[in-house]
Amino acid sequence: MNYDCAIVGGGPAGLNAALVLGRARLNVALFDNSQPRNRVTHASHGFITRDGIEPVEFRRIAYEEVLSYPSVRHWQDEVTDIRRTDNGFSLRTASGEYVNARRLILAAGLKEVFPEIEGLSDFYGKSLFNCPFCDGWELREQPLVVVSDNPSVFHMVKMLLNWSQDLVVCSNGHDILTAEQRQQLASKGIRIVDTPVTEFSGKNGLLERVHFSDGTHIERSGGFITPTLLPKARFDEALNYQTAEDGGIITDPMGRTTAAGVYAAGDSAYVMPSQLIYAAASGSKAAVSVVADITEENWQLL
């Protein structure tokens, strides 16, 4: 069967795209390897009517809605290769299956690469997070740590003052702040620690201490850490679409990439901000573009 559209990625962007396409009566092949980036967190926030929902429950509801449309088929598999054909695209999965589609939406999202700090995995998603808009409310008025080797940390710290005035910035041994930025932070009572972080410690996922390579530590009950974000799936060489410096796929306002017939949605396209509601909205826009483009193509063939 030749599908109207294949969607690579079953997060909020891919799922919302599948919902719109299914309701438009297009045949959809949805690929999802069931490894969502937010699976480690206890709850997702900022999505109206679903604020505080567990990620696994969000996915359950979304798939129940999407798969109620008979033209949407779901593969729990990873797409390993995509090639352009005379009629669109040929996708190969990790299990060796081939699927053909006229259009393609890339919505596989990003993967996080963290610094090697002992204990990080015990606290990430419970008391250490990466997005203030997603989890700042739960950490309000607490003594927080911000660990980052990225110059964007200065902007993050300014935002975090909306949730807590008790902040310590850890550069993890990297020179990421200018002299002026350091002066501004100090004027707000924000301490900066440049000594590398070696360990997070606490109990039951709740942070208590941040340890440094010189043997010192500070008491903190939560905080934020900025991972390096990389594309979870790269097909730019095969499909010849353009990417930005941050790795995001360049699109127009409606999700069309620079490669004909290829669309991108969610974190794959804009990288940040990484929120469910942004991703779902971009998936909807990309799907609308697919419907519009296929409609025009079919009209010309009549």
PDB file of all heavy atoms in Angstrom, residues 71-102:
ATOM      1  N   SER A  71      -7.963   5.158   8.881  1.00  0.00           N
ATOM      2  CA  SER A  71      -6.924   5.341   7.866  1.00  0.00           C
ATOM      3  C   SER A  71      -5.535   5.537   8.470  1.00  0.00           C
ATOM      4  O   SER A  71      -4.564   5.703   7.738  1.00  0.00           O
ATOM      5  CB  SER A  71      -7.261   6.539   6.966  1.00  0.00           C
ATOM      6  OG  SER A  71      -7.265   7.742   7.704  1.00  0.00           O
ATOM      7  N   VAL A  72      -5.438   5.500   9.816  1.00  0.00           N
ATOM      8  CA  VAL A  72      -4.146   5.665  10.483  1.00  0.00           C
ATOM      9  C   VAL A  72      -3.650   4.302  10.948  1.00  0.00           C
ATOM     10  O   VAL A  72      -4.339   3.598  11.689  1.00  0.00           O
ATOM     11  CB  VAL A  72      -4.241   6.617  11.692  1.00  0.00           C
ATOM     12  CG1 VAL A  72      -2.866   6.740  12.364  1.00  0.00           C
ATOM     13  CG2 VAL A  72      -4.754   7.980  11.269  1.00  0.00           C
ATOM     14  N   ARG A  73      -2.450   3.924  10.518  1.00  0.00           N
ATOM     15  CA  ARG A  73      -1.843   2.676  10.954  1.00  0.00           C
ATOM     16  C   ARG A  73      -0.558   2.968  11.728  1.00  0.00           C
ATOM     17  O   ARG A  73       0.233   3.826  11.332  1.00  0.00           O
ATOM     18  CB  ARG A  73      -1.524   1.772   9.761  1.00  0.00           C
ATOM     19  CG  ARG A  73      -0.938   0.429  10.196  1.00  0.00           C
ATOM     20  CD  ARG A  73      -0.622  -0.479   9.041  1.00  0.00           C
ATOM     21  NE  ARG A  73       0.078  -1.672   9.507  1.00  0.00           N
ATOM     22  CZ  ARG A  73       0.633  -2.581   8.708  1.00  0.00           C
ATOM     23  NH1 ARG A  73       0.540  -2.442   7.380  1.00  0.00           N
ATOM     24  NH2 ARG A  73       1.281  -3.620   9.204  1.00  0.00           N
ATOM     25  N   HIS A  74      -0.372   2.230  12.808  1.00  0.00           N
ATOM     26  CA  HIS A  74       0.745   2.475  13.715  1.00  0.00           C
ATOM     27  C   HIS A  74       1.768   1.353  13.643  1.00  0.00           C
ATOM     28  O   HIS A  74       1.415   0.175  13.738  1.00  0.00           O
ATOM     29  CB  HIS A  74       0.213   2.604  15.151  1.00  0.00           C
ATOM     30  CG  HIS A  74       1.270   2.690  16.197  1.00  0.00           C
ATOM     31  ND1 HIS A  74       1.191   2.000  17.384  1.00  0.00           N
ATOM     32  CD2 HIS A  74       2.429   3.386  16.239  1.00  0.00           C
ATOM     33  CE1 HIS A  74       2.254   2.262  18.108  1.00  0.00           C
ATOM     34  NE2 HIS A  74       3.017   3.089  17.443  1.00  0.00           N
ATOM     35  N   TRP A  75       3.045   1.736  13.477  1.00  0.00           N
ATOM     36  CA  TRP A  75       4.152   0.783  13.574  1.00  0.00           C
ATOM     37  C   TRP A  75       4.954   1.102  14.834  1.00  0.00           C
ATOM     38  O   TRP A  75       5.437   2.220  14.994  1.00  0.00           O
ATOM     39  CB  TRP A  75       5.102   0.916  12.390  1.00  0.00           C
ATOM     40  CG  TRP A  75       4.737   0.163  11.166  1.00  0.00           C
ATOM     41  CD1 TRP A  75       5.221  -1.043  10.757  1.00  0.00           C
ATOM     42  CD2 TRP A  75       3.820   0.586  10.141  1.00  0.00           C
ATOM     43  NE1 TRP A  75       4.659  -1.408   9.561  1.00  0.00           N
ATOM     44  CE2 TRP A  75       3.798  -0.423   9.148  1.00  0.00           C
ATOM     45  CE3 TRP A  75       3.018   1.713   9.967  1.00  0.00           C
ATOM     46  CZ2 TRP A  75       3.012  -0.333   8.013  1.00  0.00           C
ATOM     47  CZ3 TRP A  75       2.241   1.803   8.852  1.00  0.00           C
ATOM     48  CH2 TRP A  75       2.236   0.800   7.881  1.00  0.00           C
ATOM     49  N   GLN A  76       5.088   0.156  15.750  1.00  0.00           N
ATOM     50  CA  GLN A  76       5.966   0.344  16.906  1.00  0.00           C
ATOM     51  C   GLN A  76       7.364  -0.119  16.495  1.00  0.00           C
ATOM     52  O   GLN A  76       7.834  -1.193  16.865  1.00  0.00           O
ATOM     53  CB  GLN A  76       5.460  -0.439  18.113  1.00  0.00           C
ATOM     54  CG  GLN A  76       6.191  -0.068  19.404  1.00  0.00           C
ATOM     55  CD  GLN A  76       5.506  -0.629  20.628  1.00  0.00           C
ATOM     56  OE1 GLN A  76       4.275  -0.614  20.727  1.00  0.00           O
ATOM     57  NE2 GLN A  76       6.295  -1.126  21.568  1.00  0.00           N
ATOM     58  N   ASP A  77       8.016   0.724  15.746  1.00  0.00           N
ATOM     59  CA  ASP A  77       9.285   0.358  15.122  1.00  0.00           C
ATOM     60  C   ASP A  77      10.061   1.636  14.829  1.00  0.00           C
ATOM     61  O   ASP A  77       9.492   2.725  14.735  1.00  0.00           O
ATOM     62  CB  ASP A  77       9.020  -0.421  13.826  1.00  0.00           C
ATOM     63  CG  ASP A  77      10.177  -1.337  13.442  1.00  0.00           C
ATOM     64  OD1 ASP A  77      11.267  -1.192  14.023  1.00  0.00           O
ATOM     65  OD2 ASP A  77       9.974  -2.191  12.560  1.00  0.00           O
ATOM     66  N   GLU A  78      11.357   1.502  14.658  1.00  0.00           N
ATOM     67  CA  GLU A  78      12.219   2.634  14.348  1.00  0.00           C
ATOM     68  C   GLU A  78      12.495   2.697  12.852  1.00  0.00           C
ATOM     69  O   GLU A  78      12.782   1.669  12.227  1.00  0.00           O
ATOM     70  CB  GLU A  78      13.541   2.505  15.103  1.00  0.00           C
ATOM     71  CG  GLU A  78      14.508   3.649  14.859  1.00  0.00           C
ATOM     72  CD  GLU A  78      15.815   3.469  15.610  1.00  0.00           C
ATOM     73  OE1 GLU A  78      15.958   2.446  16.310  1.00  0.00           O
ATOM     74  OE2 GLU A  78      16.688   4.353  15.486  1.00  0.00           O
ATOM     75  N   VAL A  79      12.401   3.877  12.288  1.00  0.00           N
ATOM     76  CA  VAL A  79      12.751   4.074  10.887  1.00  0.00           C
ATOM     77  C   VAL A  79      14.263   4.277  10.807  1.00  0.00           C
ATOM     78  O   VAL A  79      14.815   5.191  11.436  1.00  0.00           O
ATOM     79  CB  VAL A  79      12.016   5.285  10.286  1.00  0.00           C
ATOM     80  CG1 VAL A  79      12.502   5.564   8.868  1.00  0.00           C
ATOM     81  CG2 VAL A  79      10.511   5.033  10.288  1.00  0.00           C
ATOM     82  N   THR A  80      14.934   3.435  10.054  1.00  0.00           N
ATOM     83  CA  THR A  80      16.393   3.496   9.972  1.00  0.00           C
ATOM     84  C   THR A  80      16.890   4.108   8.666  1.00  0.00           C
ATOM     85  O   THR A  80      18.038   4.528   8.585  1.00  0.00           O
ATOM     86  CB  THR A  80      16.995   2.089  10.123  1.00  0.00           C
ATOM     87  OG1 THR A  80      16.445   1.226   9.115  1.00  0.00           O
ATOM     88  CG2 THR A  80      16.673   1.519  11.508  1.00  0.00           C
ATOM     89  N   ASP A  81      16.048   4.157   7.646  1.00  0.00           N
ATOM     90  CA  ASP A  81      16.495   4.694   6.364  1.00  0.00           C
ATOM     91  C   ASP A  81      15.292   5.219   5.581  1.00  0.00           C
ATOM     92  O   ASP A  81      14.209   4.641   5.627  1.00  0.00           O
ATOM     93  CB  ASP A  81      17.207   3.609   5.553  1.00  0.00           C
ATOM     94  CG  ASP A  81      17.841   4.173   4.287  1.00  0.00           C
ATOM     95  OD1 ASP A  81      18.678   5.085   4.404  1.00  0.00           O
ATOM     96  OD2 ASP A  81      17.487   3.708   3.188  1.00  0.00           O
ATOM     97  N   ILE A  82      15.509   6.328   4.891  1.00  0.00           N
ATOM     98  CA  ILE A  82      14.477   6.913   4.027  1.00  0.00           C
ATOM     99  C   ILE A  82      15.119   7.285   2.702  1.00  0.00           C
ATOM    100  O   ILE A  82      16.170   7.938   2.677  1.00  0.00           O
ATOM    101  CB  ILE A  82      13.823   8.160   4.655  1.00  0.00           C
ATOM    102  CG1 ILE A  82      13.259   7.849   6.044  1.00  0.00           C
ATOM    103  CG2 ILE A  82      12.718   8.701   3.748  1.00  0.00           C
ATOM    104  CD1 ILE A  82      12.703   9.066   6.761  1.00  0.00           C
ATOM    105  N   ARG A  83      14.468   6.891   1.613  1.00  0.00           N
ATOM    106  CA  ARG A  83      14.951   7.223   0.279  1.00  0.00           C
ATOM    107  C   ARG A  83      13.832   7.848  -0.537  1.00  0.00           C
ATOM    108  O   ARG A  83      12.670   7.464  -0.410  1.00  0.00           O
ATOM    109  CB  ARG A  83      15.464   5.960  -0.437  1.00  0.00           C
ATOM    110  CG  ARG A  83      16.613   5.264   0.282  1.00  0.00           C
ATOM    111  CD  ARG A  83      17.874   6.095   0.284  1.00  0.00           C
ATOM    112  NE  ARG A  83      18.908   5.495   1.139  1.00  0.00           N
ATOM    113  CZ  ARG A  83      20.094   6.030   1.350  1.00  0.00           C
ATOM    114  NH1 ARG A  83      20.389   7.191   0.790  1.00  0.00           N
ATOM    115  NH2 ARG A  83      20.970   5.433   2.139  1.00  0.00           N
ATOM    116  N   ARG A  84      14.206   8.802  -1.372  1.00  0.00           N
ATOM    117  CA  ARG A  84      13.234   9.397  -2.274  1.00  0.00           C
ATOM    118  C   ARG A  84      13.002   8.475  -3.465  1.00  0.00           C
ATOM    119  O   ARG A  84      13.951   7.863  -3.982  1.00  0.00           O
ATOM    120  CB  ARG A  84      13.722  10.767  -2.754  1.00  0.00           C
ATOM    121  CG  ARG A  84      12.667  11.591  -3.465  1.00  0.00           C
ATOM    122  CD  ARG A  84      13.222  12.938  -3.861  1.00  0.00           C
ATOM    123  NE  ARG A  84      13.427  13.808  -2.721  1.00  0.00           N
ATOM    124  CZ  ARG A  84      12.473  14.575  -2.179  1.00  0.00           C
ATOM    125  NH1 ARG A  84      11.242  14.532  -2.675  1.00  0.00           N
ATOM    126  NH2 ARG A  84      12.733  15.350  -1.153  1.00  0.00           N
ATOM    127  N   THR A  85      11.750   8.348  -3.880  1.00  0.00           N
ATOM    128  CA  THR A  85      11.379   7.520  -5.026  1.00  0.00           C
ATOM    129  C   THR A  85      10.641   8.370  -6.047  1.00  0.00           C
ATOM    130  O   THR A  85      10.372   9.555  -5.818  1.00  0.00           O
ATOM    131  CB  THR A  85      10.480   6.350  -4.592  1.00  0.00           C
ATOM    132  OG1 THR A  85       9.204   6.875  -4.146  1.00  0.00           O
ATOM    133  CG2 THR A  85      11.112   5.540  -3.461  1.00  0.00           C
ATOM    134  N   ASP A  86      10.275   7.752  -7.169  1.00  0.00           N
ATOM    135  CA  ASP A  86       9.529   8.479  -8.197  1.00  0.00           C
ATOM    136  C   ASP A  86       8.162   8.928  -7.692  1.00  0.00           C
ATOM    137  O   ASP A  86       7.621   9.940  -8.169  1.00  0.00           O
ATOM    138  CB  ASP A  86       9.355   7.599  -9.434  1.00  0.00           C
ATOM    139  CG  ASP A  86      10.660   7.336 -10.156  1.00  0.00           C
ATOM    140  OD1 ASP A  86      11.611   8.127  -9.951  1.00  0.00           O
ATOM    141  OD2 ASP A  86      10.736   6.342 -10.906  1.00  0.00           O
ATOM    142  N   ASN A  87       7.602   8.187  -6.726  1.00  0.00           N
ATOM    143  CA  ASN A  87       6.262   8.494  -6.229  1.00  0.00           C
ATOM    144  C   ASN A  87       6.249   9.075  -4.819  1.00  0.00           C
ATOM    145  O   ASN A  87       5.188   9.216  -4.219  1.00  0.00           O
ATOM    146  CB  ASN A  87       5.399   7.227  -6.245  1.00  0.00           C
ATOM    147  CG  ASN A  87       5.229   6.681  -7.649  1.00  0.00           C
ATOM    148  OD1 ASN A  87       4.943   7.441  -8.576  1.00  0.00           O
ATOM    149  ND2 ASN A  87       5.408   5.373  -7.816  1.00  0.00           N
ATOM    150  N   GLY A  88       7.423   9.403  -4.299  1.00  0.00           N
ATOM    151  CA  GLY A  88       7.464   9.946  -2.949  1.00  0.00           C
ATOM    152  C   GLY A  88       8.669   9.458  -2.174  1.00  0.00           C
ATOM    153  O   GLY A  88       9.809   9.807  -2.492  1.00  0.00           O
ATOM    154  N   PHE A  89       8.412   8.573  -1.187  1.00  0.00           N
ATOM    155  CA  PHE A  89       9.473   8.128  -0.301  1.00  0.00           C
ATOM    156  C   PHE A  89       9.309   6.659   0.048  1.00  0.00           C
ATOM    157  O   PHE A  89       8.196   6.140   0.143  1.00  0.00           O
ATOM    158  CB  PHE A  89       9.468   8.959   0.993  1.00  0.00           C
ATOM    159  CG  PHE A  89       9.558  10.432   0.745  1.00  0.00           C
ATOM    160  CD1 PHE A  89       8.405  11.196   0.624  1.00  0.00           C
ATOM    161  CD2 PHE A  89      10.789  11.063   0.608  1.00  0.00           C
ATOM    162  CE1 PHE A  89       8.468  12.553   0.378  1.00  0.00           C
ATOM    163  CE2 PHE A  89      10.863  12.419   0.354  1.00  0.00           C
ATOM    164  CZ  PHE A  89       9.706  13.166   0.236  1.00  0.00           C
ATOM    165  N   SER A  90      10.451   5.995   0.271  1.00  0.00           N
ATOM    166  CA  SER A  90      10.461   4.623   0.749  1.00  0.00           C
ATOM    167  C   SER A  90      11.157   4.602   2.106  1.00  0.00           C
ATOM    168  O   SER A  90      12.293   5.068   2.233  1.00  0.00           O
ATOM    169  CB  SER A  90      11.204   3.713  -0.233  1.00  0.00           C
ATOM    170  OG  SER A  90      11.316   2.394   0.286  1.00  0.00           O
ATOM    171  N   LEU A  91      10.471   4.081   3.114  1.00  0.00           N
ATOM    172  CA  LEU A  91      11.003   4.038   4.468  1.00  0.00           C
ATOM    173  C   LEU A  91      11.316   2.593   4.848  1.00  0.00           C
ATOM    174  O   LEU A  91      10.510   1.694   4.584  1.00  0.00           O
ATOM    175  CB  LEU A  91      10.008   4.605   5.485  1.00  0.00           C
ATOM    176  CG  LEU A  91       9.675   6.102   5.376  1.00  0.00           C
ATOM    177  CD1 LEU A  91       8.592   6.349   4.324  1.00  0.00           C
ATOM    178  CD2 LEU A  91       9.196   6.626   6.727  1.00  0.00           C
ATOM    179  N   ARG A  92      12.465   2.378   5.447  1.00  0.00           N
ATOM    180  CA  ARG A  92      12.829   1.054   5.945  1.00  0.00           C
ATOM    181  C   ARG A  92      12.905   1.090   7.455  1.00  0.00           C
ATOM    182  O   ARG A  92      13.464   2.016   8.038  1.00  0.00           O
ATOM    183  CB  ARG A  92      14.179   0.610   5.379  1.00  0.00           C
ATOM    184  CG  ARG A  92      14.572  -0.830   5.762  1.00  0.00           C
ATOM    185  CD  ARG A  92      15.915  -1.197   5.186  1.00  0.00           C
ATOM    186  NE  ARG A  92      16.985  -0.432   5.840  1.00  0.00           N
ATOM    187  CZ  ARG A  92      18.211  -0.306   5.334  1.00  0.00           C
ATOM    188  NH1 ARG A  92      18.516  -0.855   4.163  1.00  0.00           N
ATOM    189  NH2 ARG A  92      19.134   0.392   5.990  1.00  0.00           N
ATOM    190  N   THR A  93      12.326   0.080   8.113  1.00  0.00           N
ATOM    191  CA  THR A  93      12.320   0.027   9.566  1.00  0.00           C
ATOM    192  C   THR A  93      13.415  -0.887  10.084  1.00  0.00           C
ATOM    193  O   THR A  93      14.031  -1.651   9.334  1.00  0.00           O
ATOM    194  CB  THR A  93      10.968  -0.476  10.089  1.00  0.00           C
ATOM    195  OG1 THR A  93      10.843  -1.875   9.776  1.00  0.00           O
ATOM    196  CG2 THR A  93       9.811   0.302   9.468  1.00  0.00           C
ATOM    197  N   ALA A  94      13.639  -0.830  11.401  1.00  0.00           N
ATOM    198  CA  ALA A  94      14.662  -1.657  12.032  1.00  0.00           C
ATOM    199  C   ALA A  94      14.361  -3.137  11.877  1.00  0.00           C
ATOM    200  O   ALA A  94      15.267  -3.975  11.853  1.00  0.00           O
ATOM    201  CB  ALA A  94      14.779  -1.290  13.509  1.00  0.00           C
ATOM    202  N   SER A  95      13.074  -3.479  11.747  1.00  0.00           N
ATOM    203  CA  SER A  95      12.678  -4.885  11.582  1.00  0.00           C
ATOM    204  C   SER A  95      12.762  -5.338  10.127  1.00  0.00           C
ATOM    205  O   SER A  95      12.452  -6.482   9.810  1.00  0.00           O
ATOM    206  CB  SER A  95      11.262  -5.094  12.115  1.00  0.00           C
ATOM    207  OG  SER A  95      10.327  -4.312  11.383  1.00  0.00           O
ATOM    208  N   GLY A  96      13.145  -4.438   9.224  1.00  0.00           N
ATOM    209  CA  GLY A  96      13.327  -4.799   7.825  1.00  0.00           C
ATOM    210  C   GLY A  96      12.127  -4.592   6.934  1.00  0.00           C
ATOM    211  O   GLY A  96      12.140  -4.977   5.763  1.00  0.00           O
ATOM    212  N   GLU A  97      11.088  -3.931   7.455  1.00  0.00           N
ATOM    213  CA  GLU A  97       9.882  -3.695   6.654  1.00  0.00           C
ATOM    214  C   GLU A  97      10.045  -2.411   5.838  1.00  0.00           C
ATOM    215  O   GLU A  97      10.674  -1.444   6.279  1.00  0.00           O
ATOM    216  CB  GLU A  97       8.659  -3.600   7.564  1.00  0.00           C
ATOM    217  CG  GLU A  97       7.339  -3.565   6.807  1.00  0.00           C
ATOM    218  CD  GLU A  97       6.140  -3.720   7.748  1.00  0.00           C
ATOM    219  OE1 GLU A  97       6.351  -3.886   8.953  1.00  0.00           O
ATOM    220  OE2 GLU A  97       5.010  -3.663   7.246  1.00  0.00           O
ATOM    221  N   TYR A  98       9.450  -2.393   4.647  1.00  0.00           N
ATOM    222  CA  TYR A  98       9.483  -1.214   3.777  1.00  0.00           C
ATOM    223  C   TYR A  98       8.071  -0.653   3.643  1.00  0.00           C
ATOM    224  O   TYR A  98       7.100  -1.403   3.472  1.00  0.00           O
ATOM    225  CB  TYR A  98      10.021  -1.567   2.398  1.00  0.00           C
ATOM    226  CG  TYR A  98      11.515  -1.799   2.372  1.00  0.00           C
ATOM    227  CD1 TYR A  98      12.044  -3.044   2.699  1.00  0.00           C
ATOM    228  CD2 TYR A  98      12.391  -0.770   2.037  1.00  0.00           C
ATOM    229  CE1 TYR A  98      13.421  -3.257   2.682  1.00  0.00           C
ATOM    230  CE2 TYR A  98      13.765  -0.974   2.010  1.00  0.00           C
ATOM    231  CZ  TYR A  98      14.271  -2.213   2.338  1.00  0.00           C
ATOM    232  OH  TYR A  98      15.621  -2.421   2.321  1.00  0.00           O
ATOM    233  N   VAL A  99       7.967   0.678   3.698  1.00  0.00           N
ATOM    234  CA  VAL A  99       6.682   1.368   3.545  1.00  0.00           C
ATOM    235  C   VAL A  99       6.882   2.542   2.593  1.00  0.00           C
ATOM    236  O   VAL A  99       7.881   3.271   2.700  1.00  0.00           O
ATOM    237  CB  VAL A  99       6.160   1.875   4.907  1.00  0.00           C
ATOM    238  CG1 VAL A  99       4.908   2.735   4.713  1.00  0.00           C
ATOM    239  CG2 VAL A  99       5.865   0.712   5.847  1.00  0.00           C
ATOM    240  N   ASN A 100       5.942   2.739   1.681  1.00  0.00           N
ATOM    241  CA  ASN A 100       6.010   3.834   0.718  1.00  0.00           C
ATOM    242  C   ASN A 100       4.971   4.904   1.052  1.00  0.00           C
ATOM    243  O   ASN A 100       3.849   4.581   1.480  1.00  0.00           O
ATOM    244  CB  ASN A 100       5.775   3.320  -0.700  1.00  0.00           C
ATOM    245  CG  ASN A 100       6.856   2.350  -1.138  1.00  0.00           C
ATOM    246  OD1 ASN A 100       8.040   2.593  -0.922  1.00  0.00           O
ATOM    247  ND2 ASN A 100       6.450   1.244  -1.754  1.00  0.00           N
ATOM    248  N   ALA A 101       5.352   6.167   0.859  1.00  0.00           N
ATOM    249  CA  ALA A 101       4.434   7.274   1.151  1.00  0.00           C
ATOM    250  C   ALA A 101       4.681   8.439   0.206  1.00  0.00           C
ATOM    251  O   ALA A 101       5.818   8.670  -0.233  1.00  0.00           O
ATOM    252  CB  ALA A 101       4.595   7.727   2.597  1.00  0.00           C
ATOM    253  N   ARG A 102       3.603   9.185  -0.080  1.00  0.00           N
ATOM    254  CA  ARG A 102       3.720  10.355  -0.966  1.00  0.00           C
ATOM    255  C   ARG A 102       4.363  11.538  -0.260  1.00  0.00           C
ATOM    256  O   ARG A 102       5.075  12.330  -0.875  1.00  0.00           O
ATOM    257  CB  ARG A 102       2.321  10.757  -1.465  1.00  0.00           C
ATOM    258  CG  ARG A 102       1.651   9.720  -2.338  1.00  0.00           C
ATOM    259  CD  ARG A 102       0.175  10.074  -2.589  1.00  0.00           C
ATOM    260  NE  ARG A 102       0.007  11.323  -3.339  1.00  0.00           N
ATOM    261  CZ  ARG A 102      -1.186  11.854  -3.612  1.00  0.00           C
ATOM    262  NH1 ARG A 102      -2.299  11.251  -3.185  1.00  0.00           N
ATOM    263  NH2 ARG A 102      -1.274  12.974  -4.318  1.00  0.00           N
TER     264      ARG A 102
END
